[in-house]
């Protein structure tokens, strides 16, 4: 299975990047995970022609070609970073590659509570009409005190958390398989969602 791992921050140093790097090496036998950075993607500015910058176009193409997406998000002020929100705004306003795409959300935080608020917020965002990702239900991987969680390779040191992540990832692979199979049988559903426009909404229902 070919997956895209999005580092949900533009920070030079991030334990969420380390988490994705660990997942890439740890799950190499069951999936190929390509890690994508967002630091070079410009801030969303709502262009009139709805044309995506090259950096957004390249990320969109990788998402479209993948079997699923993993988003690793920090938590800033009870929410996701502005850089990640900006990327999602670009994708929703232009190419809309996340529609019907299986998505797994993970998160690492320096504090003890992990990224629970940010992950809840991200789930709400990904359910927006222009995004409509298929988000893995019932599984939330929170990694607290992440500055102490990895060695230099980086390997996740807490074996209980490794086991938890293995269970969540196995569920995601099954979820992605089922979701993609359903999408293949109903391609018109995704095509219809990509045509969503707020100006066509009447009484809360998009025409």
């Amino acid at each position: 299975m070919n997956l895209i791992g999005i580092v949900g921050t533009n920070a030079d140093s991030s334990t969420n990047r380390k988490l994705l790097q660990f997942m890439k090496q740890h799950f190499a036998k069951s999936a190929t995970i390509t890690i994508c950075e967002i630091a070079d993607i410009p801030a969303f500015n709502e262009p009139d022609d709805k044309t995506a910058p090259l950096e957004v176009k390249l990320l969109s193409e990788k998402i479209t070609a993948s079997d699923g997406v993993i988003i690793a998000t920090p938590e800033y002020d009870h929410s996701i970073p502005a850089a990640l929100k900006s990327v999602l705004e670009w994708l929703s306003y232009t190419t809309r590659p996340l529609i019907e795409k299986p998505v797994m959300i993970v998160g690492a935080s320096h504090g003890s509570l992990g990224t629970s608020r940010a992950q809840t917020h991200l789930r709400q965002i990904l359910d927006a009409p222009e995004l409509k990702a298929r988000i893995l239900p019932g599984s939330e991987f929170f990694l607290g005190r992440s500055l102490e969680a990895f060695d230099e390779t980086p390997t996740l040191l807490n074996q209980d958390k490794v086991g938890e992540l293995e269970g969540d990832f196995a569920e995601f692979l099954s979820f992605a398989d089922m979701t993609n199979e359903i999408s293949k049988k109903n391609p018109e559903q995704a095509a219809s969602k990509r045509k969503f426009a707020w100006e066509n909404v009447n009484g809360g229902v998009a025409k």
Side-chain angles (χ1 to χ4, degrees):
M1 184 170 286
N2 294 308
L3 305 175
I4 297 298
I6 297 177
V7 181
T9 176
N10 57 2
D12 291 334
S13 178
S14 170
T15 52
N16 284 277
R17 182 179 294 109
K18 290 182 178 180
L19 177 57
L20 286 176
Q21 290 170 341
F22 170 73
M23 293 178 71
K24 177 178 180 176
Q25 66 185 21
H26 191 71
F27 299 120
K29 291 183 178 180
S30 55
T32 298
I33 301 175
T34 301
I35 298 177
C36 297
E37 300 283 351
I38 64 173
D40 293 333
I41 295 179
F44 177 66
N45 62 2
E46 198 171 338
D48 291 337
D49 62 1
K50 295 193 175 183
T51 299
L54 177 61
E55 298 87 349
V56 175
K57 183 175 181 291
L58 293 174
L59 176 60
S60 177
E61 289 173 351
K62 290 178 181 178
I63 292 172
T64 299
S66 74
D67 297 308
V69 176
I70 306 166
I71 301 178
T73 181
E75 182 170 310
Y76 296 169
D77 300 323
H78 292 183
S79 188
I80 64 173
L84 177 56
K85 182 62 165 59
S86 178
V87 169
L88 294 175
E89 288 166 356
W90 272 121
L91 295 176
S92 69
Y93 192 71
T94 58
T95 53
R96 300 182 176 176
L98 286 170
I99 288 177
E100 300 290 317
K101 186 66 65 174
V103 173
M104 177 183 184
I105 300 173
V106 298
S109 171
H110 298 178
S112 59
L113 297 179
T115 57
S116 58
R117 293 183 178 92
Q119 290 196 32
T120 297
H121 192 195
L122 181 54
R123 285 175 180 269
Q124 294 173 333
I125 294 169
L126 289 172
D127 195 41
E130 303 95 328
L131 290 166
K132 279 298 177 187
R134 294 294 188 185
I135 310 157
L136 176 65
S139 295
E140 298 175 307
F141 183 78
F142 308 134
L143 182 64
R145 303 200 179 280
S146 59
L147 288 175
E148 309 159 10
F150 300 95
D151 66 14
E152 66 280 357
T153 52
T155 295
L156 184 57
L157 300 173
N158 185 319
Q159 290 305 303
D160 288 339
K161 297 301 290 185
V162 172
E164 180 185 340
L165 183 59
E166 288 173 343
D168 290 345
F169 190 73
E171 287 184 11
F172 179 64
L173 293 183
S174 297
F175 173 75
D177 271 335
M178 290 185 292
T179 300
N180 288 326
E181 188 63 29
I182 292 171
S183 296
K184 288 177 183 177
K185 292 180 180 179
N186 300 280
E188 66 281 352
Q189 183 174 358
S192 176
K193 290 179 179 179
R194 288 191 181 93
K195 295 178 182 177
F196 177 89
W198 285 107
E199 56 266 26
N200 294 332
V201 174
N202 183 14
V205 178
K207 293 183 178 179

